[in-house]
Amino acid sequence: MKPRGIRAIPYAVVALLLVVALRYTPELPEHRPAEVLQQGNVSSAQAVPRPWSRTERLNRGETLIGLLKRAGVSDQAAAEVVRAATASAVNTRFLREGMPVDMTADSMGQSPRELVFHLGIDRLLRMKKSANGWEGNEERLPWTTDTVVVGGTIHSNLYQAMDSSAAQYFPAHAKDELAWALADIFDYKVDMSRDLQDGDHFRALVERAVGPEGITKVGKVLAATFSLSGSDMSAIRYESETDSPKYYDATGKSLRAAFLRAPLEFRRISSTFGSRFHPVLGIWRAHKGTDYAASSGTPVRAIGDAVVVRAGWSNGYGNLLELRHRNGYVTRYGHLRGFAKGIHSGARVDIGQTIGFVGQTGLATGAHLHFEVLVGGVQRETRAALKSTGGEPIAHGELAVFEQRREQLLATLSGTAGVVRLAAR
Ligand SMILES: [Zn+2]
């Protein structure tokens, strides 16, 4: 509850407000002082208790007591309230700048009878003064969850496809989240920044949570399908009895594989970078690899478990990182601005681990990652080389349950777009 910052500033502000208030406040009506003196004394015939309420927002570095005093609450009442609030749920970590506090008092605000702390978008603490003192109750504001089918066709990229298909169900930021969620689900299968072509399409069955103040969040993606150049791919979310929820393909194989499909997370790649980007010139253009345009400093991840075999300068590649994986696979990451901590020759890295950062060292005209896959020492086209053959199959004993769930989800998914009920099993 102690202020972390400068204590003098709120006081200075209060003082300034006070000066302004004194200067501009019209004179109080004659009966007001009496009312103040008799506040809380309802039996007084003269003073009709008038409910007084206002909302204050916590200033930067301000304590709760500071806010209450600023609002005109008496020292004693403020101390009581803070004691009670602390005993309830108002922990200092909830005291974020701008937090609204609604106050209701019988009159003038010096002695409040109800305070509402808006702890978060979906929870508040309501404190009421009773004969026994202050009592606080935390209230959860309701979120409603429904299920939506979104379907779209790719023309330039996934964001654009999401814009045109999900706009009526999700606000802008949530549409991006949905694109990222899909990219995560297919992280071992599809490079969403490169593999999508004009005319490809997707459908997703996704939970949507709508909260107080109309806030909309992307919930769980229950199922999704992608049709890429005519080949279909499904993801079914299934919670096995023995394992955490995972995504499986239609045959019941986990979508996880030995390699991630791309060395950059899709969410890290700016939507303005399209496949038209050609960052390299001259003979460098003939290199065998894949270029990913991304801002300098974007984290680069190991696409699989590996041992670092090289981390240093290499002519046109600039800062180059080379990883050796199992089965004769080697991956290269070039033009790096630098390497992540602990990355040196001989170090072991895990799949997905940050190994370096995008830069434009070596022969590069703009910040980008140059990525290569070598199999048996030969550079291979990355998409073909990383085509995964499917992960762990679901436990045999659970296959029937999985198939039932799959039928239910896919039936719903293939229905009309919009808010849906899950098809009956
Ligand atoms: Zn390149």
Side-chain angles (χ1 to χ4, degrees), residues 279-280 284 287 289-291 335 368-371:
V280 284
W284 194 245
H287 70 285
T290 308
D291 291 318
H335 308 311
H368 77 285
L369 173 70
H370 171 83
F371 177 60

Side-chain angles (χ1 to χ4, degrees), residues 244-284:
S244 52
K246 285 198 177 72
Y247 289 93
Y248 297 87
D249 68 13
T251 68
K253 279 183 182 167
S254 165
L255 289 188
R256 281 177 164 270
F259 293 113
L260 290 161
R261 179 60 191 84
L264 296 179
E265 264 189 294
F266 177 69
R267 68 183 66 218
R268 304 281 195 171
I269 301 176
S270 162
S271 59
T272 57
F273 292 129
S275 49
R276 288 158 293 144
F277 187 80
H278 293 294
V280 284
L281 294 171
I283 55 159
W284 194 245

Side-chain angles (χ1 to χ4, degrees), residues 90-153:
V90 177
N91 183 308
T92 40
R93 70 197 162 92
F94 296 128
L95 298 180
R96 56 190 165 80
E97 183 184 351
M99 180 182 82
V101 180
D102 306 332
M103 288 184 270
T104 309
D106 287 334
S107 69
M108 291 301 286
Q110 281 201 322
S111 185
R113 59 182 158 126
E114 184 175 303
L115 290 147
V116 177
F117 298 91
H118 295 263
L119 303 178
I121 49 166
D122 60 347
R123 48 202 290 267
L124 51 81
L125 174 69
R126 186 183 302 278
M127 297 191 58
K128 284 183 173 170
K129 192 173 187 181
S130 68
N132 304 324
W134 285 92
E135 279 171 23
N137 273 309
E138 199 179 326
E139 295 175 15
R140 288 271 171 184
L141 304 176
W143 282 80
T144 57
T145 304
D146 57 12
T147 315
V148 179
V149 170
V150 173
T153 301

Side-chain angles (χ1 to χ4, degrees), residues 65-92:
I65 211 153
L67 174 141
L68 294 170
K69 288 185 177 178
R70 173 161 60 83
V73 174
S74 72
D75 286 7
Q76 195 201 334
E80 273 175 31
V81 168
V82 169
R83 236 189 341 266
T86 310
S88 298
V90 177
N91 183 308
T92 40

Side-chain angles (χ1 to χ4, degrees), residues 194 277-293 316-317 320 332-335 363-365 368-374 378-382:
R194 309 209 135 248
F277 187 80
H278 293 294
V280 284
L281 294 171
I283 55 159
W284 194 245
R285 189 175 282 156
H287 70 285
K288 289 181 178 165
T290 308
D291 291 318
Y292 290 89
Y317 285 103
L320 175 68
R332 283 184 183 150
Y333 310 76
H335 308 311
L363 280 178
T365 55
H368 77 285
L369 173 70
H370 171 83
F371 177 60
E372 284 178 23
V373 178
L374 295 87
V378 180
Q379 286 156 330
R380 292 274 309 275
E381 199 272 308
T382 51

Side-chain angles (χ1 to χ4, degrees), residues 339-350:
F339 306 112
K341 207 175 163 189
I343 297 300
H344 53 79
S345 191
R348 290 186 176 278
V349 295
D350 295 329

Side-chain angles (χ1 to χ4, degrees), residues 204-219:
L205 176 63
V206 55
E207 287 181 355
R208 178 179 67 164
V210 181
E213 297 163 33
I215 283 167
T216 303
K217 285 198 212 167
V218 172

